[in-house]
Amino acid sequence: MTPRVLLSEEADREERDERQKLRVLEGKFESLLDRRHKLLGELRKLSDEQRALFERRDEPQAEVEKLHHAHGQLGRHLTELRHARDAARRKADEAVVRRRELLLTFDKGEHERPEAIRREIAELELQQQTRALKLDAENALIARLRKRAADLKEAEGRVAVVAEHARLRKEADAAVVAARAEVERLGDELQKARTERDATMGAIRDKLQSAGSLVAQLREKGKARSELMKEVDTVSRELDAVDREGRELIARSRARRAEALRTLRQYSGRRRPAEDTLASVAEAHLEELMKRGKVTL
């Protein structure tokens, strides 16, 4: 049974029209509610992605700070190596100067060894004995023999000095070689440190690019989330509008039925049981519509 018997023909027609509108509104409400549910799901997904990106952003930043600290240490190490290399170069130059000064203190004749002078004297004596020489040539040979004999005596007298000078020369040469080797070693170490520092700087750039990419993704996610929030707000406003319209229809229907009941009571006196039953059915129907009207999200 339906409560339409309580209404006039005009009121009944209005009731049917508004009931149709109410069904349309219910369908629209369900569609909007489903749309809002999907938007909220997308919003939660974006929020999770933003949170994951934000947590990942800390990692490259920490690595950049670590690399930046290492880069600073390498820079200080490079400065120390550069100073050490410059000091080694000065030391090598000083060793070369000391060697040169040492050699200048040696007699140029020190390089002649007694054995070499004796061989030359022996050759000169052999020439004097085996060859027929003119008087001038023979006198020159004799003079040469006398000079070389004096040179031999002098060379034999400075054997110990020559040996000491040879030792000093050897030490000076070794000092020059060692100083130059230290310069070369420090130069190689300096180049290696430069290469390592450049590699560290490249790693810093890579990490900064990675962090920048994460920030860009965060911005994109934030923008997309903002757009979704706008859609959610729009759908929520539409839901509220549909809900208000539906409640207005239900309220008009309730008022219309209440007016019909008052009119019926005025003309028929006490209601019959069948009429009470119809009124109860109408009120129950309206209460059910009211329950289905507003949905709390």
Side-chain angles (χ1 to χ4, degrees), residues 46-289:
L46 275 176
S47 297
D48 293 340
E49 292 174 354
Q50 278 185 300
R51 189 180 302 108
L53 287 171
F54 186 82
E55 292 173 355
R56 285 174 55 197
R57 187 184 64 173
D58 294 338
E59 181 179 349
Q61 286 180 342
E63 291 179 358
V64 165
E65 292 178 1
K66 182 179 178 181
L67 288 170
H68 188 269
H69 179 70
H71 186 270
Q73 288 183 324
L74 285 170
R76 290 188 289 271
H77 184 51
L78 277 171
T79 301
E80 294 172 356
L81 286 174
R82 193 178 295 109
H83 291 163
R85 184 196 60 183
D86 293 342
R89 283 175 173 173
R90 291 191 296 270
K91 186 176 180 180
D93 293 339
E94 292 171 359
V96 171
V97 171
R98 284 195 300 269
R99 180 179 179 276
R100 186 179 296 115
E101 291 175 347
L102 178 65
L103 294 178
L104 290 175
T105 63
F106 297 164
D107 189 347
K108 293 182 179 180
E110 287 184 4
H111 68 279
E112 287 191 317
R113 301 177 65 82
E115 293 80 3
I117 298 175
R118 291 191 188 98
R119 285 195 297 271
E120 185 180 352
I121 290 174
E123 291 175 358
L124 292 172
E125 288 177 346
L126 182 60
Q127 290 180 16
Q128 184 183 26
Q129 294 171 6
T130 59
R131 295 175 61 182
L133 300 173
K134 292 181 180 182
L135 181 61
D136 293 341
E138 186 173 358
N139 289 336
L141 189 146
I142 292 171
R144 179 66 179 171
L145 280 170
R146 288 173 181 173
K147 183 179 184 307
R148 297 308 288 164
D151 292 340
L152 176 60
K153 184 177 181 180
E154 184 179 354
E156 288 175 344
R158 65 175 181 236
V159 169
V161 175
V162 171
E164 177 64 15
H165 287 179
R167 185 186 67 80
L168 294 174
R169 182 186 294 107
K170 184 177 181 180
E171 290 180 354
D173 291 342
V176 171
V177 171
R180 288 174 174 172
E182 179 66 7
V183 172
E184 185 175 355
R185 183 190 70 80
L186 289 171
D188 292 341
E189 190 172 349
L190 186 64
Q191 183 59 41
K192 181 180 178 181
R194 283 173 178 165
T195 302
E196 186 175 355
R197 186 187 64 173
D198 292 343
T200 302
M201 178 55 70
I204 289 175
R205 285 194 296 268
D206 293 340
K207 294 301 179 182
L208 287 175
Q209 289 177 354
S210 177
S213 175
L214 288 176
V215 170
Q217 292 181 55
L218 276 170
R219 289 175 179 171
E220 291 177 0
K221 298 294 182 183
K223 184 177 179 180
R225 189 175 184 276
S226 177
E227 295 298 325
L228 276 176
M229 284 297 298
K230 291 179 181 179
E231 289 190 53
V232 170
D233 291 341
T234 300
V235 172
S236 297
R237 286 193 297 270
E238 292 180 5
L239 278 170
D240 290 340
V242 170
D243 180 73
R244 285 193 302 271
E245 187 176 355
R247 284 182 175 274
E248 290 174 359
L249 290 174
I250 293 174
R252 285 201 298 270
S253 176
R254 176 173 291 180
R256 189 182 300 113
R257 292 176 180 278
E259 179 65 24
L261 285 174
R262 284 194 298 271
T263 302
L264 182 63
R265 287 171 184 161
Q266 290 175 359
Y267 286 97
S268 60
R270 187 176 178 277
R271 291 187 303 184
R272 293 172 296 178
E275 293 174 345
D276 293 338
T277 301
L278 290 175
S280 299
V281 171
E283 291 296 328
H285 182 68
L286 286 174
E287 289 295 331
E288 180 64 23
L289 290 176

